[in-house]
Amino acid sequence: MAFESKIKTIEWVDNKSRMIDQTILPYEFKTVDISTAEEMYYAIKDMIVRGAPAIGIAGAHGVSLAAIELSKTETDKNIFLKKLQEKADYLKSSRPTAVNLMWAIDKQMKLALEIDGSIETVTKALIENGIKLENEDIEINKKMGDYGAEVVPKGATILTHCNAGALATVGYGTALGVIRSAYAKDPTIKVFADETRPRQQGARLTTWELTQDGIPTTLITDGMCSYFMSKGMIQMVVVGADRIAANGDTANKIGTYTVAIAAKYHNVPFYIAAPLSTIDISIKSGKEIPIEERSHEEVTHINGDWVCAKDVNIINPGFDVTPHELITGIITEKGILRPNFEESIAKAFMED
Ligand code: MRU
């Protein structure tokens, strides 16, 4: 059963990509219209849109926008396709870790190269495909939600890290999609949301979207999870993913690895919820996942104010990799993958 979320994070409207500006939530709700590939590059890089599946759709829309721009000046199809590939590569370079971005852009480029028609025909097909991927994202999340809800213990308190919700996808969410579907079946479940420093996606975004749906949510700071697990107050962890290697090692927001270690120690099941488009079967293990290093200001400042000494050293990786040994299951649109992940992932791709 699906619990509807009214949030539509990104959508194609009047030949533009309309997105919720996530840099100003929860203080202000505003949408912005992105009309060029260059604007899309910065919307992704500056995290107006963020979350692996959402930036995938943003990348797909970015290719459609590039095609619209190029179709106004180019008449030679080969030159059009060459320039489109350059724009696609540029869009891919906006953020390195979430593989959904590369996946969606590659899908668009494959289509562009396959179509035997005019520049206008290619541009129209890219726009239509971007909208199709957008709609499929919500359907996939609902399927994951249904599978995931089956493993949520009755009356559980579920811990989540970062925001893997409607705001990180087109709508409904991956980890928060599981929580939405579980809540529809059992309104006694509760959520603990990690604050998620440095950018506070848990505090700013997860609490914003869950409380709007009336799902009981408690905000905790990142260092508190072991304490609550030791008190028996958390029965399950579910988080999203930015890239999953062929052996199940999973990159997600920095701090996820710490939560997974705490969960293992306290025998709390630790689940990843992610679509198959987040699995990168071209890499064997998490060691090969590129980890984004972000601006030092994200650590030194909160809401524009300094929070530390001015001459301290800073290091700011945006993601960490949870080794597959710490993961109980990976909830996908094809069902829940279990260890041995190398085998269950390979099988899911064979069926796909
Ligand atoms: O840096 P962000 O906010 O884009 O990081 C997002 C996450 O780490 C999410 O957990 C992940 O993308 C999964 S979203 C369904």
Side-chain angles (χ1 to χ4, degrees):
M1 194 215 304
F3 183 83
E4 291 306 324
S5 159
K6 289 177 264 329
I7 300 166
K8 191 91 193 271
T9 298
I10 178 164
E11 100 188 276
W12 188 260
V13 181
D14 296 337
N15 272 355
K16 294 191 178 67
S17 179
R18 180 164 294 167
M19 56 181 70
I20 296 174
D21 182 349
Q22 301 194 39
T23 62
I24 52 175
L25 281 173
Y27 319 108
E28 215 183 310
F29 180 90
K30 210 176 81 183
T31 57
V32 286
D33 285 350
I34 301 297
S35 46
T36 66
E38 192 174 10
E39 281 176 23
M40 187 59 90
Y41 173 90
Y42 285 104
I44 298 170
K45 192 175 177 59
D46 298 339
M47 293 173 67
I48 290 172
V49 61
R50 36 68 51 201
I55 66 172
I57 301 303
H61 285 182
V63 176
S64 308
L65 292 170
I68 294 172
E69 278 171 87
L70 289 169
S71 69
K72 288 180 187 152
T73 51
E74 296 306 330
T75 47
D76 181 315
K77 191 175 167 200
N78 287 332
I79 297 176
F80 167 84
L81 288 174
K82 186 172 163 285
K83 290 192 174 172
L84 192 66
Q85 186 64 62
E86 283 165 11
K87 298 253 184 196
D89 293 340
Y90 164 70
L91 284 163
K92 276 191 196 177
S93 69
S94 55
R95 290 192 80 187
T97 304
V99 75
N100 307 61
L101 178 64
M102 328 307 162
W103 173 87
I105 292 174
D106 285 345
K107 260 192 167 328
Q108 288 284 66
M109 284 313 299
K110 186 167 179 284
L111 178 71
L113 295 168
E114 270 169 13
I115 287 176
D116 182 21
S118 65
I119 290 175
E120 286 65 37
T121 311
V122 173
T123 304
K124 192 166 167 279
L126 288 172
I127 294 170
E128 280 166 5
N129 197 45
I131 296 168
K132 181 170 161 266
L133 291 173
E134 204 183 293
N135 294 331
E136 280 172 3
D137 180 80
I138 300 183
E139 291 317 307
I140 286 170
N141 291 338
K142 287 185 175 167
K143 280 188 192 153
M144 273 190 277
D146 288 344
Y147 284 120
E150 284 170 26
V151 291
V152 174
K154 178 134 187 57
T157 295
I158 306 168
L159 174 69
T160 191
H161 188 77
C162 193
N163 173 270
L167 288 168
T169 59
V170 176
Y172 205 67
T174 58
L176 299 194
V178 169
I179 288 169
R180 285 193 164 92
S181 297
Y183 184 76
K185 277 170 57 180
D186 173 12
T188 68
I189 67 155
K190 297 182 183 64
V191 178
F192 270 30
D194 270 349
E195 176 190 24
T196 320
R197 272 285 280 152
R199 287 186 71 102
Q200 297 169 288
Q201 289 93 329
R204 293 192 302 105
L205 308 176
T206 296
T207 66
W208 181 80
E209 71 166 87
L210 288 182
T211 54
Q212 278 190 73
D213 281 349
I215 300 175
T217 305
T218 301
L219 175 65
I220 63 172
T221 64
D222 297 339
M224 292 180 185
C225 73
S226 307
Y227 173 79
F228 289 114
M229 286 179 190
S230 76
K231 298 266 171 210
M233 289 170 69
I234 293 168
Q235 283 71 45
M236 176 178 173
V237 178
V238 62
V239 296
D242 289 86
R243 193 185 294 227
I244 302 172
N247 70 346
D249 291 351
T250 295
N252 191 47
K253 181 52 54 195
I254 191 81
T256 303
Y257 182 18
T258 312
V259 176
I261 292 170
K264 185 78 168 178
Y265 184 80
H266 293 100
N267 282 321
V268 174
F270 179 93
Y271 285 92
I272 301 288
L276 292 184
S277 54
T278 305
I279 303 181
D280 182 355
I281 47 165
S282 76
I283 57 168
K284 282 202 177 87
S285 84
K287 288 198 185 81
E288 294 169 67
I289 300 177
I291 301 294
E292 181 179 16
E293 176 70 27
R294 292 196 58 88
S295 146
H296 292 180
E297 208 178 312
E298 291 183 350
V299 178
T300 56
H301 288 67
I302 296 183
N303 291 341
D305 291 327
W306 274 93
V307 291
C308 58
K310 297 216 166 156
D311 53 0
V312 70
N313 296 325
I314 302 295
I315 184 162
N316 184 22
F319 302 91
D320 56 27
V321 176
T322 299
H324 60 91
E325 297 90 339
L326 302 180
I327 299 168
T328 310
I330 302 174
I331 302 162
T332 74
E333 69 272 33
K334 296 267 162 167
I336 302 181
L337 310 183
R338 303 273 182 186
N340 170 324
F341 289 118
E342 221 169 273
E343 285 171 17
S344 55
I345 288 174
K347 190 161 174 269
F349 273 82
M350 249 146 46
E351 287 164 1
D352 200 35

